[in-house]
Amino acid sequence: MCLALAVSASASADTIVLKNGRRIVAENVIDDGARVTYQTPAGQLTIPKSIVERIEHDDFVYSPASSASSQPLVSAPKVEPVRGYEDVVTRAVHDDAVDYSYIAQLETEARSGTTIAVAKVAAAHHAAAQFLVSKGDTDAAIQQYRQALVFAPQNVGLLLNLAVLYLRESQFTGALDPLDRARRAAPDSADVAKLTGWAYYGANKIDQAIAEWQRAERLRPDPEVEQALEKAERDKSEEESYREGETIHFDLKYYGGAAPDLARGILRVLEDDFRDLESQLDYTPPEKIAVILYTEQAFADITRAPGWVGALNDGRLLIPVQGLTTVTPELAHVLKHELTHSFVGQKSHNRAPTWLQEGVAQWMEGRRSAADAGALINAAGQGMAPPLGAMGGSWMGLSGNSAAFAYAWSLAVVESIIDAGGVSDISRLLDRIATESSVEDALRETLHLSYDDLNQQTVAYLKRIYLR
Ligand SMILES: [Zn+2]
């Protein structure tokens, strides 16, 4: 199925080069001085200009994850409303123009209601409509059929031709009205079923499209309808897996080649994670959380580009799943980590400092400081423990080594808090940060610690637990 957010295949792409070296290929890149906004298959994203090194304008074509085909699946049947009125046809359209006065004269005669007079009006309007279609004036052609139907409301040929014009204009709901009337006049018409299937398919009502095309096949087998039916059934199974992309807490979208099985697996894991975080952090996000599975780009917490996920998140989980078909242990870690960011962000009214965000997210995903403890203790011993007050904002300016150190230190800090007072201390701290004017005030109010105290507590914790 075409997704509403799929981007146009014809636009050229730009490359946003970040200061940390990452390159993002995107469409419609807009630089307003403070922020850079761009289009991806997941929609519009915004990043701070401060993390952007430069924007390169390329000429190659950005290929979208999915694209819509504008070709209808079935063709329009040729149906003459009436036969045997060639003289009327040649008089209604001549010298490359519609003879409206002749048609008006026929209408006057048809008001008497004789069958022949009505048939002549139908033939004349049909001829005029077909001529107008050949001139590209579909709206005027539609008017011709509507006028003819005033005199011959049951004429299936007029109704079908009118429906075809609506269908070609993608006015699928508009097409259903003449098709309903045609069905009442001709209940066993395969053409009515074929076109009604087209209308429903176009309106994205796949179940009804399938029912109509099945009916058309029963009435009159048609290879074209058979193919359309197969396509619709494929779409339906795709759409079913897409619909399963909604659960009580999540709204999942996936693009490109992400497998339906993978999407379902991810949702199962996320629902489990949600319940766990809900009880650990004593918080329930009020709205469904949007999850977007990417197959095109890799994101922050896989590459460890600091701050990047927060900048992209917008409350949505952007999960790279390139090449995956099942939820691997690594992916499970990423899911828990990203979902934790959503909880921490919302519970703290998006005021949690980065060290707390990343520390809690790593702790929840199951990371512990064992492997890093020695290096962290050494660094602290040389007076290099990072000042937490300076680690609240974006980590984008940090080099790779500094970023790795910032992640590791943040995890150790969070471990020490949980060691001292349990996860409930994290929960209380987040609640206080949501309302307190500064993070350090919130820290003092809840844990009775300054930033320096917290760093000292962290070193003591690392030594006690990991140094034997
Ligand atoms: Zn993170």
Side-chain angles (χ1 to χ4, degrees), residues 296-457:
E296 307 284 309
Q297 279 174 293
F299 278 102
D301 283 326
I302 279 198
T303 61
R304 291 273 156 207
W308 175 235
V309 161
L312 272 181
N313 215 317
D314 293 341
R316 304 177 300 177
L317 271 57
L318 301 156
I319 310 292
V321 292
Q322 187 81 47
L324 296 178
T325 52
T326 57
V327 181
T328 60
E330 288 84 1
L331 179 56
H333 276 268
V334 169
L335 293 172
K336 187 74 174 279
H337 183 110
E338 294 307 326
L339 185 58
T340 304
H341 280 317
S342 292
F343 272 73
V344 170
Q346 291 190 42
K347 186 175 166 78
S348 70
H349 299 174
N350 290 316
R351 295 174 68 185
T354 307
W355 63 264
L356 187 56
Q357 266 284 16
E358 295 301 343
V360 175
Q362 291 179 89
W363 193 88
M364 289 294 178
E365 73 167 278
R367 278 177 195 270
R368 295 297 180 265
S369 297
D372 295 321
L376 293 174
I377 292 164
N378 280 344
Q382 293 163 31
M384 288 165 62
L388 292 175
M391 291 171 69
S394 169
W395 291 0
M396 237 28 221
L398 300 179
S399 70
N401 281 345
S402 305
F405 185 63
Y407 271 102
W409 190 259
S410 298
L411 173 59
V413 170
V414 166
E415 271 185 59
S416 82
I417 294 172
I418 293 170
D419 175 71
V423 184
S424 62
D425 270 5
I426 297 289
S427 172
R428 289 193 300 122
L429 179 57
L430 291 172
D431 284 338
R432 191 57 79 104
I433 286 171
T435 56
E436 201 69 56
S437 60
S438 84
V439 172
E440 196 166 17
D441 286 349
L443 198 58
R444 272 207 189 84
E445 294 291 333
T446 50
L447 308 184
H448 312 291
L449 296 170
S450 68
Y451 282 142
D452 283 343
D453 297 337
L454 187 50
N455 268 351
Q456 281 167 30
Q457 171 184 296

Side-chain angles (χ1 to χ4, degrees), residues 3-7 24-28 36-46 62 65 253 255 292-294 297 299 312 314 316 318:
L3 296 163
L5 292 167
V7 290
I24 304 157
V25 178
E27 276 208 329
N28 299 334
V36 174
T37 302
Y38 60 97
Q39 297 294 328
T40 74
Q44 183 174 293
L45 297 173
T46 301
Y62 180 73
K253 288 187 171 64
Y255 299 86
I292 294 159
L293 305 187
Y294 267 93
Q297 279 174 293
F299 278 102
L312 272 181
D314 293 341
R316 304 177 300 177
L318 301 156

Side-chain angles (χ1 to χ4, degrees), residues 145-290:
Y145 285 120
R146 297 179 75 92
Q147 188 62 22
L149 284 164
V150 172
F151 294 89
Q154 313 277 316
N155 185 308
V156 174
L158 291 173
L159 290 164
L160 290 182
N161 277 287
L162 176 59
V164 165
L165 293 186
Y166 281 127
L167 291 170
R168 287 198 179 132
E169 297 274 281
S170 299
Q171 295 184 39
F172 303 111
T173 313
L176 284 172
D177 173 56
L179 288 169
D180 282 349
R181 288 161 63 188
R183 167 149 302 160
R184 269 177 260 133
D188 292 328
S189 162
D191 286 332
V192 171
K194 179 180 181 175
L195 292 180
T196 306
W198 179 355
Y200 281 128
Y201 187 83
N204 209 20
K205 294 181 171 160
I206 306 295
D207 284 341
Q208 282 140 299
I210 287 172
E212 289 296 333
W213 282 336
Q214 282 171 340
R215 180 181 162 80
E217 282 289 89
R218 281 197 301 275
L219 292 165
R220 186 190 67 209
D222 175 345
E224 198 181 64
V225 172
E226 193 185 322
Q227 279 193 358
L229 190 53
E230 280 170 18
K231 170 83 165 75
E233 279 164 347
R234 276 199 306 277
D235 287 352
K236 181 177 151 72
S237 62
E238 225 174 88
E239 195 176 77
E240 275 166 356
S241 61
Y242 181 78
R243 269 197 225 108
E244 278 186 32
E246 263 184 75
T247 63
I248 184 162
H249 298 122
F250 297 96
D251 204 346
L252 177 134
K253 288 187 171 64
Y254 61 90
Y255 299 86
D261 282 353
L262 175 63
R264 280 191 287 273
I266 284 172
L267 284 174
R268 270 196 296 274
V269 169
L270 282 173
E271 280 293 343
D272 287 348
D273 289 346
F274 189 100
R275 278 188 289 277
D276 179 52
L277 289 168
E278 201 176 25
S279 71
Q280 295 224 56
L281 294 176
D282 188 25
Y283 178 74
T284 304
E287 306 259 327
K288 276 195 182 191
I289 295 172

